[in-house]
Amino acid sequence: MIKTIYFATGNPRKVLSLKKALSDLPIDIIQYTGELLEPQKDNIKEVALSKARQAFSVLKDSVIVNDGGLVIPSLNGFPGPYTKYIDNTIGNRGIIKLLSNVLNREAYTTQAMVYIDKHGNEHIFEDQVYGTIAFEEDMTQNPRAWGNIWRIFIPKGANVPLASLPENIYKNLRITAQTSSVWSELHNILSKEI
């Protein structure tokens, strides 16, 4: 029997990634694009959990929310949960400008995935991918990109932003990063339910 799960996101690339990550399971992922309030919280996990609870209260069925952000320790964790807002305002060039006189360009992307099953049980997963911020924005078009951060974030083990990584290098980095990622943890939970 095929299990249906709603994925509350406005990003169709995230839906494709989730479908690919769960492709070996009998699960039908349905994108839910209903209006969800974006809470102003200082923690990405709290933002994802709030949105998942909102979606569950509307759908009354299994739902997934995946939220993430860019954390720059030398900027006191900014932009963190405000990454989407920063992307829509000052953008990558603004982030690069904020770091213009900063020696430590270390950063990490962090994401929280919340899965609420049809009974209302909440499962929360978090992970991070470490790297640095580029000195300039990479304008390479990349169909894998989820967002503009791909143009400035250089993952550990690479020397160019995600946007320019060749497929084979990206795949190796992704496999390494996802061995204990939110995607694999979600897969493990769902495979036990089926």
Side-chain angles (χ1 to χ4, degrees):
M1 187 165 102
I2 295 179
K3 178 182 182 75
T4 298
I5 301 177
Y6 291 92
F7 190 10
T9 180
N11 190 332
R13 290 186 179 151
K14 281 189 178 183
V15 177
L16 292 175
S17 292
L18 183 61
K19 285 182 177 185
K20 187 174 182 180
L22 302 178
S23 63
D24 63 321
L25 299 176
I27 295 174
D28 184 24
I29 303 296
I30 299 172
Q31 184 177 10
Y32 173 70
T33 57
E35 184 87 20
L36 299 176
L37 295 175
E38 183 91 18
Q40 296 302 305
K41 306 261 184 189
D42 291 331
N43 181 300
I44 288 170
K45 179 176 81 172
E46 291 176 16
V47 172
L49 185 57
S50 172
K51 288 163 59 175
R53 287 173 175 165
Q54 290 174 58
F56 182 77
S57 71
V58 171
L59 297 166
K60 309 282 192 256
D61 205 346
S62 300
V63 67
I64 295 168
V65 168
N66 177 249
D67 229 312
L70 176 67
V71 177
I72 305 172
S74 61
L75 297 179
N76 295 321
F78 183 80
Y82 308 105
T83 300
K84 185 176 179 180
Y85 174 75
I86 293 307
D87 185 39
N88 292 330
T89 54
I90 66 171
N92 288 337
R93 290 189 179 123
I95 291 173
I96 290 169
K97 189 172 183 177
L98 288 172
L99 290 170
S100 63
N101 295 320
V102 177
L103 295 177
N104 181 356
R105 300 180 77 84
E106 291 177 0
Y108 60 92
T109 60
T110 184
Q111 63 178 327
M113 186 171 285
V114 177
Y115 166 57
I116 301 180
D117 66 27
K118 66 181 180 180
H119 305 292
N121 300 310
E122 299 174 350
H123 306 271
I124 305 166
F125 317 108
E126 294 180 272
D127 69 16
Q128 292 82 35
V129 175
Y130 293 89
T132 57
I133 301 298
F135 285 91
E136 58 185 50
E137 190 171 20
D138 184 328
M139 300 309 289
T140 303
Q141 296 297 317
N142 188 321
R144 294 186 310 263
W146 287 3
N148 288 325
I149 288 172
W150 280 53
R151 298 180 186 278
I152 62 169
F153 183 72
I154 303 171
K156 187 175 180 179
N159 58 6
V160 295
L162 284 167
S164 286
L165 281 183
E167 179 68 30
N168 62 327
I169 295 173
Y170 170 76
K171 186 175 181 184
N172 287 337
L173 288 171
R174 184 174 172 178
I175 288 168
T176 302
Q178 289 192 356
T179 54
S180 62
S181 74
V182 296
W183 303 91
S184 60
E185 291 183 55
L186 175 66
H187 187 282
N188 289 341
I189 289 289
L190 293 175
S191 62
K192 291 173 186 170
E193 288 185 1
I194 297 172

